[in-house]
Amino acid sequence: MKDNLFSIHGKIALVTGATSGIGLMIARGFVEHGAHVYVVARNQTACAQVAADLGGTGRCIALPADLSSAADRSRIADTVMSRHSRLDILVNNAGALADESIDTFSEESWDAVMGLNLKAVFFLTQKLLPALRNGASADAPARIINVGSIGGLRISGRENYSYVASKAGLHHLTRALARRLGAEHVNVNAIAPGPFPSKLTEGVPDSVKQAVCERIPCGRFGEPDDVAGTAIYLASRASAYVTGAVLPLDGGSVGAT
């Protein structure tokens, strides 16, 4: 039990938005700990490159797809189920963000963010439920891990209205799915990350980053092992009795301030 408690060795996982940021951190952690990982992203070249890079340390397969497309969501499910009898772990990480003034915020921006951050999560999950159910048992439930945000737990000063609404909706959808699927041995949880290195933070001045860190009780941005370790916990035997939870991963920003 000690050796197997946090093991995901041999598990079949699918991670969306896996070519950068938190999605890549989770995919890398899964591969390095012995899971068979499908990486999903819209950019075919980036998807193939990540699969090649991670494939050097384990099993990783590129599955390029546009999650806003119903046809592509069906293709993802068909591909997984044609190759495996089950799916053990689904990580819904792909997302979008729009910052626009309330006076000019467009319907196009609203719909694009809501479509990817919330609608696509529900309908990809729906398509993959047969595969998730196939391998699930009381002792080894299948796992759905939704990547939300602390923006869905509290309001910042940014004008990213559709983003925070979608992430709050994703947290609540997580609870609704957990309630419905618990009896079928499919656990559904969410991670609500705070600041992590990403494309969004690459151009941020160091002075701004330092000011952000000063407001975080742990005093720093998140690191790859922080999110990989959390995802591995939520995918392993260690969390078999955890479902319907929204776990802040933010150095104490929400819970301790």
Side-chain angles (χ1 to χ4, degrees), residues 14 16 40 67 72-74 76-77 90-92 119-129:
L14 186 145
T16 70
V40 177
L67 293 170
D72 274 17
R73 293 192 296 265
S74 293
I76 289 169
L90 168 62
V91 179
N92 289 307
K119 177 182 175 181
V121 170
F122 178 81
F123 286 104
L124 179 63
T125 299
Q126 181 190 67
K127 291 295 183 182
L128 288 167
L129 271 177

Side-chain angles (χ1 to χ4, degrees), residues 15-216:
V15 182
T16 70
T19 56
S20 64
I22 284 173
L24 178 56
M25 295 174 196
I26 291 173
R28 185 183 302 279
F30 280 0
V31 170
E32 289 177 349
H33 286 78
H36 184 147
V37 181
Y38 285 86
V39 291
V40 177
R42 184 165 49 187
N43 187 307
Q44 184 172 356
T45 301
C47 206
Q49 185 62 56
V50 167
D53 291 344
L54 299 187
T57 58
R59 295 172 294 174
C60 190
I61 297 175
L63 189 49
D66 179 358
L67 293 170
S68 66
S69 162
D72 274 17
R73 293 192 296 265
S74 293
R75 180 172 57 81
I76 289 169
D78 291 343
T79 299
V80 171
M81 289 188 284
S82 70
R83 299 176 181 179
H84 308 279
S85 61
R86 71 186 199 278
L87 178 66
D88 301 305
I89 308 160
L90 168 62
V91 179
N92 289 307
N93 166 74
L97 182 148
D99 272 309
E100 297 182 26
S101 165
I102 193 170
D103 295 303
T104 59
F105 207 105
S106 67
E107 288 194 35
E108 291 78 12
S109 293
W110 183 276
D111 291 345
V113 172
M114 282 291 188
L116 185 58
N117 292 9
L118 200 51
K119 177 182 175 181
V121 170
F122 178 81
F123 286 104
L124 179 63
T125 299
Q126 181 190 67
K127 291 295 183 182
L128 288 167
L129 271 177
L132 288 161
R133 287 167 169 147
N134 276 349
S137 67
D139 290 335
R143 314 304 172 92
I144 299 171
I145 302 170
N146 295 325
V147 179
S149 170
I150 59 169
L153 298 174
R154 71 175 189 187
I155 303 302
S156 72
R158 297 176 64 178
E159 293 193 273
N160 50 7
Y161 304 103
S162 55
Y163 178 79
V164 296
S166 70
K167 292 302 186 179
L170 181 59
H171 296 165
H172 211 56
L173 176 62
T174 297
R175 299 181 184 104
L177 292 173
R179 182 182 180 90
R180 170 61 180 81
L181 298 173
E184 299 183 57
H185 312 306
V186 178
N187 289 8
V188 190
N189 294 292
I191 301 170
F196 275 78
S198 69
K199 291 180 179 178
L200 294 175
T201 62
E202 283 176 357
V204 176
D206 289 341
S207 59
V208 174
K209 292 180 182 179
Q210 181 59 36
V212 171
C213 288
E214 288 173 0
R215 298 194 294 271
I216 300 172

